[in-house]
Amino acid sequence: MAVSTEIISPEALAQQGEYMDRVRAWWASQGVTPRAYIDTYGCQQNEADSERMLGMLLEMGYQAQEEPEGADIIIINTCAVREHAEQRVFGNLGALTHTKRRHGGQKIFFTGCMAGQQIVVDRIRKSYPHVDCVLSSHAQWQLPELLYHSLTGSKRQFVTPDKGNIAEGLPVARKGQLKGWVSIMYGCNNFCTYCIVPYVRGRERSRQPEDIVREVREMIDSGFKDITLLGQNVNSYGKDLGLGVDFADLLRMLSELPGDFVLRFMTSHPKDASKKLFDTMASSPKIAKHIHLPFQAGNDRVLKAMNRSYTSGQYLELVRYAREKMPDLVLTSDVIVGFPGETDEEFEDTLKLVEQVRYDALFTFIFSPRTGTPAAKMDDPFTKAQKQARFDRLLETQNRISQEKHSAYVGKTLRVLVDGQDGEFLTARTDGGRLVRLEGDPALVGTFQNVTITGNTTWSLTGSIEEA
């Protein structure tokens, strides 16, 4: 059953501010500057959550560091979407017994989507005694209070409320000053049969549009030029608010803010993608002409078994309309290979859809059963070897298409945002999010430049900056 929603009151948030003061005073009494390390797994939403937890830690007097050794607090922010990621988390968590043995006062906090699963909480309680606190993503706003109690002698804490929430006004420590995330909503109502997210993140809950506009405006004023709006399903933004403001309206409001910047968003669910959204994207030069639109499978029976709420035909019509409005649209997607019961013939429908749409890139996965989801109980007669063979065919098909799509860029001039360095080259992103490698002055990082594309690989482009 999905969790319900709770709006965190200003009074409760103010209390957390008081706990921040208490933690800072406690460390001052020790005469040391504490250090913090956050290890983040999974999606951009987890990255955004980690930025807020780090923001709170900095307010409490901590300094961030890039390794667990010697840290006074380690926060493991986890992902529950894939089994492999979970096993990696448990392996790394076990290894922290050694860092804690060498640094006796070290506190280890475990949070994120895995902390929303009771089976995981029970395992940590029993087998990982060096973990001081388990808090689900719904309790992250309580970090100052939980940390204060841990520092002042509290026993192990397990805080996993069954209510999702929205907590505004928390401090945030963003990575860099050029590209940033903004969460516009949390949770998911779709209950795809393979997905654990609704059970650990809760029901959809949208932030107020004025809070989002204020946050984005502050980022623009601080120099951010590449801003990504986040949600498990951004297309359903606003449905729970009753304000008559949908995602397309929010995009339009943000794109009208003054400044030179690019707006991106993810992830979109096809059942809620609308012509209004595509029209809005097409109308504004500040909205990136890129959409990540997961289709997951090309066969209608499999889509129904996944509870995806659309058919392959409906998906193709969305793509047709979007490309009609935005001929240069960059389209990426997710695909699951080997969903329980998927036959070879049904997989062929997926390959056909990939050939029809011709994606710029795909994120491909072999089905990973998640305990607690309906798909984990479905009959699955096909072997890992059979699924791997399909997966390899899908990769071969998409790599060929990506190479062909990228080669078509050669000779074109594109406006890109120079966003960093990789060895001797500058790196940049096109409006559609394609990686471009350039030669140029590092002083250009953070600027928009016109670039002529001179070469390509399957995964990236190369280019030269046009002379002013």
Side-chain angles (χ1 to χ4, degrees), residues 183-331:
S183 297
I184 65 169
M185 61 184 302
Y186 306 92
C188 184
N189 288 355
N190 292 313
F191 289 92
C192 300
T193 56
Y194 53 82
C195 186
I196 196 68
V197 168
Y199 303 95
V200 296
R201 284 280 183 180
R203 290 294 184 98
E204 289 176 353
R205 49 206 188 275
S206 304
R207 296 176 63 194
Q208 294 291 323
E210 60 267 26
D211 291 328
I212 299 169
V213 171
R214 180 171 57 252
E215 183 175 352
V216 171
R217 182 186 293 115
E218 290 172 352
M219 292 177 69
I220 295 167
D221 290 344
S222 297
F224 284 86
K225 296 184 181 297
D226 191 311
I227 299 170
T228 301
L229 310 179
L230 298 179
Q232 265 72 41
N233 176 16
V234 292
N235 294 343
S236 60
Y237 171 82
K239 290 184 177 181
D240 56 318
L241 295 178
L243 299 176
V245 177
D246 61 15
F247 181 55
D249 295 326
L250 179 67
L251 268 181
R252 177 186 51 76
M253 293 163 60
L254 295 173
S255 69
E256 291 173 351
L257 291 171
D260 194 8
F261 61 93
V262 174
L263 284 173
R264 307 185 189 277
F265 58 88
M266 63 187 315
T267 291
S268 294
H269 195 298
K271 77 177 181 64
D272 296 310
S274 64
K275 291 183 177 180
K276 180 182 177 182
L277 169 62
F278 299 138
D279 291 343
T280 302
M281 291 175 64
S283 69
S284 174
K286 292 182 181 179
I287 303 173
K289 304 307 181 280
H290 168 218
I291 187 166
H292 186 71
L293 194 65
F295 75 93
Q296 304 297 9
N299 177 268
D300 288 347
R301 187 204 67 79
V302 175
L303 287 171
K304 185 176 182 180
M306 290 178 167
N307 193 33
R308 291 293 288 173
S309 303
Y310 56 84
T311 65
S312 59
Q314 290 169 333
Y315 183 92
L316 289 169
E317 173 56 25
L318 282 175
V319 172
R320 185 202 65 75
Y321 185 85
R323 283 184 166 156
E324 176 184 300
K325 292 295 179 178
M326 298 170 283
D328 294 329
L329 178 71
V330 169
L331 189 62

Side-chain angles (χ1 to χ4, degrees), residues 177-179 223-226 260-262 414-420 426-430 438 440-451 465:
Q177 295 180 315
L178 182 62
K179 303 166 72 171
F224 284 86
K225 296 184 181 297
D226 191 311
D260 194 8
F261 61 93
V262 174
L414 306 174
R415 186 172 185 258
V416 303
L417 174 61
V418 184
D419 60 6
L426 298 178
T427 59
R429 293 282 172 178
T430 69
L438 309 162
D441 188 335
L444 294 176
V445 173
T447 67
F448 288 97
Q449 298 291 327
N450 290 322
V451 168
I465 298 172

Side-chain angles (χ1 to χ4, degrees), residues 41 46 77-82 85-87 89-90 110-121 123-124 134 136 200 370:
Y41 298 79
N46 276 11
N77 191 9
T78 63
C79 173
V81 173
R82 308 278 304 161
E86 284 199 4
Q87 295 309 313
V89 167
F90 280 124
F110 185 95
T111 187
C113 291
M114 286 176 64
Q117 298 173 281
Q118 190 59 46
I119 189 173
V120 171
V121 176
R123 180 173 174 180
I124 292 176
V134 175
S136 69
V200 296
R370 301 284 74 209

Side-chain angles (χ1 to χ4, degrees), residues 37 39 41 67-71 73-76 89-103 106-110 128 130-131:
Y37 169 72
D39 191 11
Y41 298 79
E67 58 181 24
E69 188 64 47
I73 183 171
I74 295 174
I75 296 180
I76 311 297
V89 167
F90 280 124
N92 293 341
L93 185 62
L96 292 180
T97 57
H98 306 296
T99 69
K100 190 162 188 174
R101 189 178 301 119
R102 291 188 291 268
H103 190 72
Q106 188 175 78
K107 301 297 181 182
I108 299 176
F109 279 38
F110 185 95
Y128 297 85
H130 58 294
V131 174

